[in-house]
Coordinates of all heavy atoms in Angstrom, one line a residue:
M686 N 22.3 -4.3 -8.4 CA 21.2 -4.0 -7.5 C 21.2 -2.4 -7.4 O 22.2 -1.9 -7.1 CB 21.3 -4.7 -6.2 CG 20.4 -4.3 -5.1 SD 20.7 -5.2 -3.5 CE 20.7 -6.8 -4.0
S687 N 20.0 -1.8 -7.5 CA 19.9 -0.4 -7.3 C 20.0 0.0 -5.7 O 19.9 -0.8 -4.9 CB 18.5 0.1 -7.8 OG 17.5 -0.3 -6.9
T688 N 20.4 1.2 -5.5 CA 20.4 1.6 -4.1 C 19.1 1.5 -3.3 O 19.0 1.1 -2.3 CB 20.9 3.2 -4.0 OG1 22.1 3.4 -4.7 CG2 20.9 3.6 -2.6
Q689 N 18.0 1.7 -4.1 CA 16.7 1.5 -3.5 C 16.4 0.0 -3.1 O 16.0 -0.2 -2.0 CB 15.6 1.9 -4.4 CG 15.4 3.4 -4.8 CD 14.6 3.7 -5.8 OE1 15.0 3.8 -6.9 NE2 13.3 3.9 -5.5
E690 N 16.9 -0.9 -3.9 CA 16.7 -2.3 -3.6 C 17.7 -2.6 -2.5 O 17.3 -3.5 -1.6 CB 17.0 -3.1 -4.8 CG 16.0 -3.0 -6.0 CD 16.5 -3.6 -7.2 OE1 17.8 -3.6 -7.6 OE2 15.6 -4.0 -8.0
K691 N 18.9 -2.1 -2.5 CA 19.8 -2.4 -1.4 C 19.4 -1.9 0.0 O 19.4 -2.6 0.9 CB 21.2 -1.8 -1.8 CG 22.3 -2.2 -0.8 CD 23.6 -2.3 -1.4 CE 24.5 -2.9 -0.4 NZ 25.7 -3.3 -0.9
I692 N 18.8 -0.7 0.0 CA 18.2 -0.1 1.2 C 17.1 -1.1 1.8 O 17.1 -1.4 2.8 CB 17.7 1.2 1.1 CG1 18.8 2.3 0.7 CG2 16.8 1.7 2.2 CD1 18.3 3.6 0.3
A693 N 16.2 -1.6 0.8 CA 15.2 -2.4 1.3 C 15.7 -3.7 1.8 O 15.2 -4.2 2.8 CB 14.2 -2.6 0.1
Q694 N 16.6 -4.3 1.1 CA 17.2 -5.6 1.5 C 17.9 -5.5 2.9 O 17.8 -6.4 3.7 CB 18.2 -6.1 0.4 CG 18.9 -7.3 0.8 CD 20.0 -7.8 -0.2 OE1 20.9 -7.0 -0.6 NE2 20.0 -9.0 -0.7
I695 N 18.7 -4.4 3.0 CA 19.4 -4.2 4.3 C 18.4 -4.1 5.4 O 18.6 -4.8 6.5 CB 20.3 -3.0 4.3 CG1 21.5 -3.3 3.4 CG2 20.7 -2.6 5.7 CD1 22.3 -2.0 3.0
L696 N 17.3 -3.3 5.3 CA 16.3 -3.1 6.3 C 15.6 -4.5 6.6 O 15.2 -4.7 7.7 CB 15.5 -1.9 6.0 CG 16.1 -0.6 6.0 CD1 15.1 0.5 5.6 CD2 16.8 -0.3 7.4
R697 N 15.2 -5.2 5.6 CA 14.5 -6.5 5.9 C 15.4 -7.4 6.6 O 15.0 -8.1 7.5 CB 14.2 -7.1 4.5 CG 13.0 -6.4 3.9 CD 12.5 -7.2 2.6 NE 11.4 -6.5 2.0 CZ 11.6 -5.6 1.0 NH1 12.8 -5.6 0.3 NH2 10.7 -5.0 0.4
Q698 N 16.7 -7.4 6.4 CA 17.7 -8.4 7.0 C 18.0 -7.9 8.5 O 18.1 -8.7 9.3 CB 18.9 -8.5 6.4 CG 18.7 -9.3 4.9 CD 19.9 -9.3 4.1 OE1 20.9 -8.6 4.3 NE2 19.9 -10.2 3.1
T699 N 18.2 -6.6 8.7 CA 18.7 -6.1 9.9 C 17.7 -5.7 11.0 O 17.9 -5.8 12.2 CB 19.7 -4.9 9.7 OG1 19.0 -3.9 9.1 CG2 20.9 -5.3 8.9
V700 N 16.6 -5.2 10.6 CA 15.5 -4.8 11.5 C 14.3 -5.6 11.3 O 13.2 -5.2 11.8 CB 15.2 -3.3 11.5 CG1 16.5 -2.5 11.9 CG2 14.7 -2.8 10.1
A701 N 14.3 -6.6 10.5 CA 13.1 -7.6 10.3 C 12.0 -6.8 9.8 O 10.8 -7.0 10.1 CB 12.8 -8.3 11.6
A702 N 12.3 -5.9 8.9 CA 11.3 -5.0 8.3 C 10.2 -5.9 7.5 O 10.6 -6.8 6.8 CB 11.8 -4.0 7.4
T703 N 8.9 -5.6 7.8 CA 7.9 -6.4 7.1 C 7.3 -5.5 5.9 O 6.8 -6.0 5.0 CB 6.7 -6.6 8.0 OG1 6.2 -5.4 8.7 CG2 7.1 -7.6 9.1
V704 N 7.5 -4.2 6.0 CA 7.2 -3.3 4.9 C 8.4 -2.3 4.8 O 8.9 -1.8 5.8 CB 5.9 -2.5 5.2 CG1 5.6 -1.4 4.2 CG2 4.7 -3.4 5.5
V705 N 8.8 -2.1 3.6 CA 9.9 -1.1 3.2 C 9.4 -0.5 2.0 O 9.2 -1.2 0.9 CB 11.3 -1.7 3.1 CG1 12.3 -0.6 2.8 CG2 11.6 -2.6 4.3
E706 N 9.3 0.9 1.9 CA 9.0 1.6 0.7 C 10.1 2.6 0.6 O 10.4 3.4 1.5 CB 7.7 2.3 0.8 CG 6.5 1.4 0.8 CD 5.1 2.1 1.1 OE1 5.1 3.3 1.0 OE2 4.1 1.3 1.2
V707 N 10.8 2.6 -0.5 CA 11.9 3.5 -0.8 C 11.7 4.3 -2.0 O 11.5 3.8 -3.1 CB 13.3 2.7 -0.9 CG1 14.4 3.7 -1.1 CG2 13.5 1.7 0.2
E708 N 11.7 5.7 -1.9 CA 11.5 6.5 -3.0 C 12.9 7.3 -3.3 O 13.4 7.9 -2.3 CB 10.5 7.5 -2.8 CG 9.0 6.9 -2.7 CD 8.0 8.0 -2.3 OE1 8.0 9.1 -3.1 OE2 7.2 7.9 -1.4
D709 N 13.2 7.3 -4.4 CA 14.5 8.2 -4.8 C 14.1 9.5 -5.2 O 13.3 9.7 -6.2 CB 15.2 7.4 -6.0 CG 16.6 8.1 -6.3 OD1 16.8 9.2 -5.9 OD2 17.2 7.5 -7.2
E710 N 14.4 10.5 -4.3 CA 14.0 11.9 -4.6 C 15.2 12.7 -5.0 O 15.3 13.9 -4.9 CB 13.4 12.4 -3.3 CG 12.2 11.7 -2.7 CD 11.5 12.4 -1.6 OE1 12.3 13.1 -0.8 OE2 10.4 12.3 -1.4
S711 N 16.2 12.0 -5.5 CA 17.5 12.7 -5.9 C 17.2 13.7 -7.0 O 17.8 14.9 -7.0 CB 18.4 11.7 -6.4 OG 18.8 10.8 -5.4
A712 N 16.2 13.5 -7.9 CA 16.0 14.5 -9.0 C 15.4 15.8 -8.4 O 15.6 16.9 -9.1 CB 15.0 13.8 -9.9
L713 N 14.9 15.8 -7.3 CA 14.4 17.0 -6.6 C 15.5 17.8 -6.0 O 15.3 18.9 -5.6 CB 13.4 16.7 -5.5 CG 12.1 15.8 -5.9 CD1 11.4 15.4 -4.7 CD2 11.3 16.5 -6.9
H714 N 16.7 17.3 -6.1 CA 17.8 18.0 -5.4 C 19.0 18.1 -6.3 O 20.2 18.3 -5.9 CB 18.3 17.2 -4.1 CG 17.2 17.0 -3.2 ND1 16.8 17.9 -2.2 CD2 16.3 16.0 -3.0 CE1 15.9 17.5 -1.5 NE2 15.4 16.3 -1.9
V715 N 18.7 18.3 -7.6 CA 19.8 18.6 -8.6 C 20.5 19.8 -8.3 O 19.9 20.8 -7.9 CB 19.2 18.6 -10.1 CG1 20.2 19.0 -11.0 CG2 18.5 17.3 -10.3
G716 N 21.8 19.7 -8.3 CA 22.7 20.9 -8.0 C 23.0 20.9 -6.5 O 23.9 21.7 -6.1
H717 N 22.5 20.1 -5.6 CA 22.8 20.1 -4.3 C 24.1 19.4 -4.0 O 24.5 18.6 -4.8 CB 21.6 19.3 -3.6 CG 21.8 19.3 -2.1 ND1 22.4 18.3 -1.4 CD2 21.2 20.1 -1.2 CE1 22.4 18.4 -0.1 NE2 21.6 19.6 0.1
D718 N 24.9 19.7 -2.9 CA 26.2 19.2 -2.6 C 26.1 17.6 -2.7 O 27.1 17.0 -3.2 CB 26.6 19.7 -1.3 CG 27.0 21.1 -1.3 OD1 27.2 21.6 -2.4 OD2 27.1 21.6 -0.2
G719 N 25.1 17.0 -2.3 CA 25.1 15.6 -2.1 C 25.1 14.9 -3.5 O 25.7 13.9 -3.7
E720 N 24.5 15.6 -4.5 CA 24.5 15.1 -5.9 C 25.9 15.1 -6.4 O 26.4 14.1 -7.1 CB 23.6 16.0 -6.7 CG 23.6 15.4 -8.2 CD 23.1 16.5 -9.2 OE1 23.2 17.7 -8.9 OE2 22.5 16.1 -10.2
A721 N 26.7 16.1 -6.1 CA 28.1 16.2 -6.6 C 28.9 15.2 -6.0 O 29.8 14.6 -6.7 CB 28.6 17.6 -6.3
S722 N 28.6 14.7 -4.8 CA 29.4 13.6 -4.2 C 28.9 12.3 -4.6 O 29.5 11.2 -4.3 CB 29.4 13.8 -2.7 OG 28.1 13.5 -2.2
G723 N 27.8 12.3 -5.4 CA 27.3 10.9 -5.8 C 26.3 10.3 -4.9 O 25.6 9.4 -5.2
G724 N 26.1 10.9 -3.7 CA 25.0 10.4 -2.7 C 23.6 10.8 -3.2 O 23.4 12.0 -3.7
G725 N 22.7 9.9 -3.0 CA 21.3 10.3 -3.4 C 20.4 10.7 -2.2 O 20.9 10.5 -1.1
H726 N 19.3 11.2 -2.5 CA 18.3 11.6 -1.5 C 17.1 10.6 -1.6 O 16.6 10.4 -2.6 CB 17.7 12.9 -1.8 CG 18.7 14.1 -1.6 ND1 19.6 14.5 -2.5 CD2 18.9 14.9 -0.5 CE1 20.3 15.5 -2.0 NE2 19.8 15.8 -0.8
Y727 N 16.8 10.0 -0.4 CA 15.8 8.9 -0.4 C 14.8 9.2 0.7 O 15.1 9.7 1.8 CB 16.5 7.4 -0.2 CG 17.4 7.1 -1.3 CD1 18.8 7.6 -1.2 CD2 17.0 6.6 -2.5 CE1 19.6 7.3 -2.2 CE2 17.8 6.3 -3.5 CZ 19.1 6.7 -3.4 OH 20.1 6.3 -4.5
R728 N 13.6 8.8 0.4 CA 12.4 8.8 1.3 C 12.1 7.4 1.7 O 11.8 6.6 0.7 CB 11.2 9.6 0.9 CG 10.1 9.6 1.8 CD 9.0 10.6 1.3 NE 9.6 12.0 1.2 CZ 9.7 12.8 2.2 NH1 9.4 12.5 3.4 NH2 10.1 14.0 1.9
V729 N 12.2 7.0 2.9 CA 12.0 5.6 3.3 C 11.0 5.5 4.4 O 10.9 6.2 5.4 CB 13.3 4.9 3.9 CG1 13.1 3.6 4.4 CG2 14.4 5.0 2.8
M730 N 10.0 4.5 4.2 CA 9.0 4.1 5.2 C 9.2 2.7 5.5 O 9.3 1.9 4.6 CB 7.6 4.4 4.6 CG 6.6 4.3 5.7 SD 5.9 2.7 6.2 CE 5.0 2.3 4.8
V731 N 9.5 2.4 6.7 CA 9.8 1.1 7.2 C 9.0 0.7 8.4 O 8.8 1.4 9.3 CB 11.3 0.9 7.5 CG1 11.8 1.9 8.6 CG2 11.7 -0.5 7.9
V732 N 8.4 -0.5 8.3 CA 7.6 -1.0 9.4 C 8.3 -2.4 10.0 O 8.7 -3.2 9.1 CB 6.2 -1.4 9.0 CG1 5.4 -2.0 10.1 CG2 5.5 -0.2 8.3
S733 N 8.6 -2.3 11.2 CA 9.3 -3.4 11.9 C 8.6 -3.8 13.2 O 8.5 -3.0 14.0 CB 10.8 -3.2 12.0 OG 11.4 -4.3 12.7
P734 N 8.5 -5.1 13.5 CA 8.1 -5.5 14.8 C 9.1 -5.2 15.9 O 8.8 -5.0 17.1 CB 7.8 -7.0 14.7 CG 8.6 -7.5 13.5 CD 8.6 -6.3 12.6
L735 N 10.4 -5.0 15.6 CA 11.5 -4.7 16.5 C 11.3 -3.2 16.9 O 11.9 -2.8 17.9 CB 12.8 -4.8 15.8 CG 13.1 -6.2 15.3 CD1 14.6 -6.3 14.7 CD2 13.1 -7.2 16.5
F736 N 10.5 -2.5 16.2 CA 10.3 -1.0 16.6 C 9.2 -0.9 17.8 O 9.1 0.1 18.4 CB 9.9 -0.2 15.5 CG 10.8 0.0 14.4 CD1 10.4 0.3 13.1 CD2 12.1 -0.2 14.6 CE1 11.3 0.5 12.1 CE2 13.0 -0.1 13.6 CZ 12.7 0.3 12.3
E737 N 8.4 -2.0 18.0 CA 7.3 -2.0 19.0 C 7.9 -1.6 20.4 O 8.9 -2.2 20.8 CB 6.7 -3.4 19.0 CG 5.3 -3.4 19.5 CD 4.3 -2.7 18.5 OE1 4.2 -3.1 17.4 OE2 3.7 -1.6 19.0
G738 N 7.3 -0.6 21.0 CA 7.7 -0.2 22.2 C 9.0 0.8 22.3 O 9.4 1.2 23.4
K739 N 9.5 1.1 21.2 CA 10.8 1.8 21.0 C 10.4 3.3 20.7 O 9.3 3.6 20.1 CB 11.7 1.3 19.9 CG 12.2 -0.1 20.1 CD 13.5 -0.1 20.7 CE 14.2 -1.4 20.6 NZ 13.7 -2.5 21.3
S740 N 11.1 4.2 21.2 CA 11.0 5.6 20.9 C 11.2 5.9 19.5 O 12.0 5.1 18.7 CB 11.7 6.5 21.8 OG 13.1 6.4 21.4
L741 N 10.8 7.0 18.9 CA 11.0 7.4 17.6 C 12.6 7.6 17.4 O 13.1 7.1 16.3 CB 10.4 8.7 17.3 CG 10.6 9.3 15.9 CD1 10.0 8.3 14.8 CD2 9.9 10.7 15.7
V742 N 13.3 8.1 18.3 CA 14.7 8.2 18.3 C 15.4 6.9 18.2 O 16.3 6.7 17.4 CB 15.2 9.1 19.4 CG1 16.8 9.1 19.5 CG2 14.7 10.6 19.3
A743 N 14.9 5.9 19.0 CA 15.6 4.6 19.0 C 15.3 3.9 17.7 O 16.2 3.3 17.2 CB 15.0 3.8 20.2
R744 N 14.1 4.1 17.1 CA 13.8 3.5 15.8 C 14.8 4.1 14.7 O 15.2 3.3 13.9 CB 12.3 3.7 15.4 CG 11.4 2.8 16.3 CD 10.0 3.0 15.9 NE 9.4 3.8 16.9 CZ 8.4 4.7 16.7 NH1 7.9 4.8 15.5 NH2 7.9 5.3 17.7
H745 N 14.9 5.3 14.8 CA 15.7 6.0 13.7 C 17.2 5.6 13.9 O 17.8 5.3 12.9 CB 15.6 7.6 13.8 CG 14.3 8.1 13.2 ND1 14.4 9.2 12.4 CD2 13.0 7.6 13.2 CE1 13.1 9.4 11.9 NE2 12.3 8.5 12.5
R746 N 17.6 5.5 15.1 CA 19.0 5.0 15.4 C 19.2 3.6 14.7 O 20.3 3.2 14.2 CB 19.3 4.9 16.9 CG 19.6 6.3 17.4 CD 20.1 6.2 18.8 NE 20.3 7.5 19.4 CZ 20.0 7.9 20.6 NH1 19.4 7.1 21.5 NH2 20.2 9.1 21.0
M747 N 18.1 2.8 14.9 CA 18.4 1.4 14.5 C 18.5 1.4 12.9 O 19.3 0.7 12.4 CB 17.1 0.6 14.8 CG 17.0 0.2 16.3 SD 15.4 -0.6 16.8 CE 15.5 -2.1 16.1
V748 N 17.7 2.3 12.2 CA 17.7 2.3 10.7 C 19.0 2.9 10.4 O 19.7 2.4 9.5 CB 16.5 3.1 10.3 CG1 16.7 3.4 8.7 CG2 15.2 2.4 10.5
Y749 N 19.4 4.0 11.0 CA 20.7 4.6 10.6 C 21.9 3.7 10.9 O 22.9 3.6 10.1 CB 21.0 6.0 11.3 CG 20.2 7.0 10.6 CD1 19.0 7.5 11.1 CD2 20.8 7.7 9.5 CE1 18.3 8.6 10.4 CE2 20.1 8.7 8.8 CZ 18.9 9.2 9.2 OH 18.2 10.2 8.6
D750 N 21.9 3.0 12.0 CA 22.9 2.0 12.3 C 23.0 0.8 11.2 O 24.0 0.5 10.7 CB 22.7 1.3 13.6 CG 23.0 2.2 14.8 OD1 23.6 3.3 14.6 OD2 22.7 1.9 15.9
A751 N 21.8 0.5 10.7 CA 21.7 -0.5 9.7 C 22.3 -0.1 8.4 O 22.8 -0.8 7.6 CB 20.2 -1.0 9.6
L752 N 22.0 1.2 8.1 CA 22.3 1.8 6.8 C 23.7 2.6 6.9 O 24.1 3.3 5.9 CB 21.2 2.7 6.3 CG 19.9 2.0 6.0 CD1 18.9 3.1 5.6 CD2 20.2 1.0 4.8
A753 N 24.4 2.3 7.9 CA 25.7 3.2 8.1 C 26.6 3.1 7.0 O 27.2 4.2 6.5 CB 26.4 2.7 9.5
T754 N 26.9 2.0 6.4 CA 27.8 1.9 5.3 C 27.2 2.6 4.0 O 28.0 3.3 3.4 CB 28.1 0.4 4.9 OG1 28.7 -0.2 6.1 CG2 29.0 0.3 3.8
E755 N 26.0 2.5 3.8 CA 25.4 3.1 2.6 C 25.3 4.6 2.8 O 25.5 5.4 1.8 CB 24.0 2.6 2.4 CG 23.9 1.1 2.0 CD 24.9 0.8 0.9 OE1 24.8 1.5 -0.2 OE2 25.6 -0.2 0.9
M756 N 25.2 5.1 4.1 CA 25.2 6.5 4.4 C 26.6 7.1 4.0 O 26.6 8.3 3.7 CB 24.8 6.8 5.9 CG 23.4 6.4 6.2 SD 22.1 7.4 5.4 CE 22.5 9.0 6.1
Q757 N 27.6 6.3 4.1 CA 29.0 6.9 3.8 C 29.3 6.8 2.2 O 30.1 7.4 1.8 CB 30.0 6.0 4.5 CG 29.9 6.2 6.0 CD 30.9 5.2 6.7 OE1 31.7 4.6 6.1 NE2 30.8 5.2 8.0
R758 N 28.5 5.9 1.6 CA 28.7 5.7 0.2 C 27.7 6.3 -0.8 O 28.0 7.1 -1.7 CB 28.8 4.2 -0.2 CG 30.0 3.6 0.6 CD 30.1 2.1 0.3 NE 31.2 1.5 1.0 CZ 31.2 0.2 1.1 NH1 30.3 -0.6 0.7 NH2 32.2 -0.3 1.9
T759 N 26.5 5.8 -0.6 CA 25.5 6.1 -1.7 C 24.3 6.9 -1.3 O 23.5 7.3 -2.1 CB 25.0 4.8 -2.3 OG1 24.3 4.0 -1.2 CG2 26.0 4.0 -3.0
I760 N 24.1 7.2 0.1 CA 23.0 8.0 0.6 C 23.6 9.3 1.1 O 24.4 9.2 2.0 CB 22.3 7.1 1.7 CG1 21.8 5.9 1.2 CG2 21.1 8.0 2.3 CD1 21.2 4.9 2.3
H761 N 23.0 10.4 0.6 CA 23.4 11.7 1.2 C 22.4 12.2 2.1 O 22.7 12.7 3.1 CB 23.6 12.8 0.0 CG 23.7 14.1 0.5 ND1 25.0 14.5 1.0 CD2 23.0 15.2 0.6 CE1 24.9 15.8 1.4 NE2 23.6 16.2 1.2
A762 N 21.1 11.9 1.9 CA 20.1 12.3 2.7 C 19.0 11.2 2.8 O 18.7 10.6 1.8 CB 19.4 13.7 2.2
L763 N 18.3 11.1 4.0 CA 17.3 10.1 4.2 C 16.1 10.8 5.0 O 16.3 11.3 6.0 CB 18.0 9.0 5.0 CG 17.2 7.7 5.2 CD1 16.9 7.0 3.9 CD2 17.9 6.8 6.2
A764 N 15.0 10.8 4.3 CA 13.8 11.2 5.0 C 13.1 9.9 5.5 O 12.8 9.0 4.7 CB 12.9 11.9 4.1
L765 N 12.9 9.8 6.8 CA 12.6 8.5 7.4 C 11.3 8.5 8.2 O 11.0 9.3 9.0 CB 13.8 8.1 8.3 CG 13.7 6.7 9.0 CD1 13.6 5.6 8.0 CD2 14.9 6.6 9.9
T766 N 10.5 7.5 7.9 CA 9.3 7.1 8.6 C 9.5 5.8 9.2 O 9.6 4.8 8.4 CB 8.1 7.3 7.9 OG1 7.9 8.7 7.4 CG2 6.8 7.0 8.7
A767 N 9.6 5.5 10.5 CA 9.9 4.3 11.0 C 8.7 3.9 12.0 O 8.5 4.5 13.0 CB 11.3 4.2 11.8
L768 N 8.0 2.8 11.6 CA 6.7 2.5 12.4 C 6.8 1.1 13.0 O 7.3 0.2 12.3 CB 5.5 2.7 11.5 CG 5.3 4.0 10.8 CD1 4.1 3.9 9.9 CD2 5.0 5.1 11.9
A769 N 6.1 1.0 14.2 CA 5.8 -0.4 14.6 C 4.6 -0.9 13.9 O 3.8 -0.1 13.4 CB 5.7 -0.4 16.1
P770 N 4.4 -2.2 13.8 CA 3.1 -2.6 13.1 C 1.9 -2.1 13.7 O 0.9 -1.8 13.0 CB 3.2 -4.2 13.3 CG 4.7 -4.5 13.3 CD 5.2 -3.2 14.1
S771 N 1.9 -1.9 15.0 CA 0.6 -1.3 15.6 C 0.4 0.2 15.3 O -0.7 0.6 15.4 CB 0.8 -1.4 17.2 OG 1.8 -0.6 17.6
Q772 N 1.4 0.8 14.7 CA 1.2 2.2 14.2 C 0.9 2.4 12.8 O 0.5 3.3 12.3 CB 2.5 2.9 14.5 CG 2.9 3.1 15.9 CD 4.3 3.7 16.1 OE1 5.2 3.2 15.5 NE2 4.3 4.8 16.8
Q773 N 1.1 1.2 12.1 CA 0.9 1.3 10.6 C -0.5 1.7 10.2 O -0.7 2.4 9.2 CB 1.2 0.0 10.0 CG 1.3 -0.1 8.5 CD 1.7 -1.4 7.9 OE1 1.8 -2.4 8.6 NE2 1.9 -1.4 6.6
M774 N -1.5 1.2 10.8 CA -2.8 1.5 10.5 C -3.2 3.0 10.6 O -3.9 3.7 9.9 CB -3.9 0.8 11.3 CG -3.8 -0.7 11.0 SD -4.3 -1.0 9.3 CE -4.5 -2.8 9.4
S775 N -2.5 3.7 11.7 CA -2.8 5.1 11.9 C -1.9 6.0 11.1 O -2.1 7.2 11.2 CB -2.6 5.4 13.4 OG -1.2 5.2 13.8
A776 N -1.0 5.5 10.3 CA -0.1 6.3 9.5 C -0.7 6.8 8.2 O -1.7 6.2 7.7 CB 1.2 5.5 9.2

């Protein structure tokens, strides 16, 4: 399973994500410290009903908590958009 697939699977399971889009942007960061350590750069958009009524900081914490193990292993950088379903139309 690729890191992208693993990120999506984890977010579907832990934050009940209904939409997960993961882009590997590692190629844009060739030569960066994260590349040397094996960690990739990813852009993630996640929509979850569990984010409804939560602040942006709380939503980001939920995602980072869910991906904590991967952040130590395979993710060096994460550009994150975390939306509640009610926000998805306006994004």
Side-chain angles (χ1 to χ4, degrees):
M686 175 181 309
S687 73
T688 300
Q689 290 170 268
E690 292 167 333
K691 184 144 190 173
I692 290 169
Q694 179 184 49
I695 290 168
L696 294 176
R697 285 188 185 100
Q698 291 174 347
T699 59
V700 298
T703 55
V704 176
V705 182
E706 296 176 7
V707 182
E708 295 178 53
D709 184 348
E710 296 185 337
S711 300
L713 301 174
H714 301 277
V715 173
H717 185 270
D718 290 342
E720 181 196 28
S722 67
H726 289 85
Y727 299 91
R728 180 169 302 278
V729 176
M730 196 275 288
V731 57
V732 179
S733 171
L735 299 180
F736 296 159
E737 205 67 62
K739 301 264 193 297
S740 70
L741 180 61
V742 171
R744 287 181 257 149
H745 279 226
R746 281 187 187 139
M747 291 171 71
V748 171
Y749 277 99
D750 287 348
L752 296 174
T754 300
E755 296 307 310
M756 294 295 294
Q757 294 174 12
R758 296 180 184 163
T759 58
I760 301 172
H761 174 72
L763 189 66
L765 179 60
T766 302
L768 303 171
S771 64
Q772 298 174 302
Q773 188 177 8
M774 293 297 190
S775 61

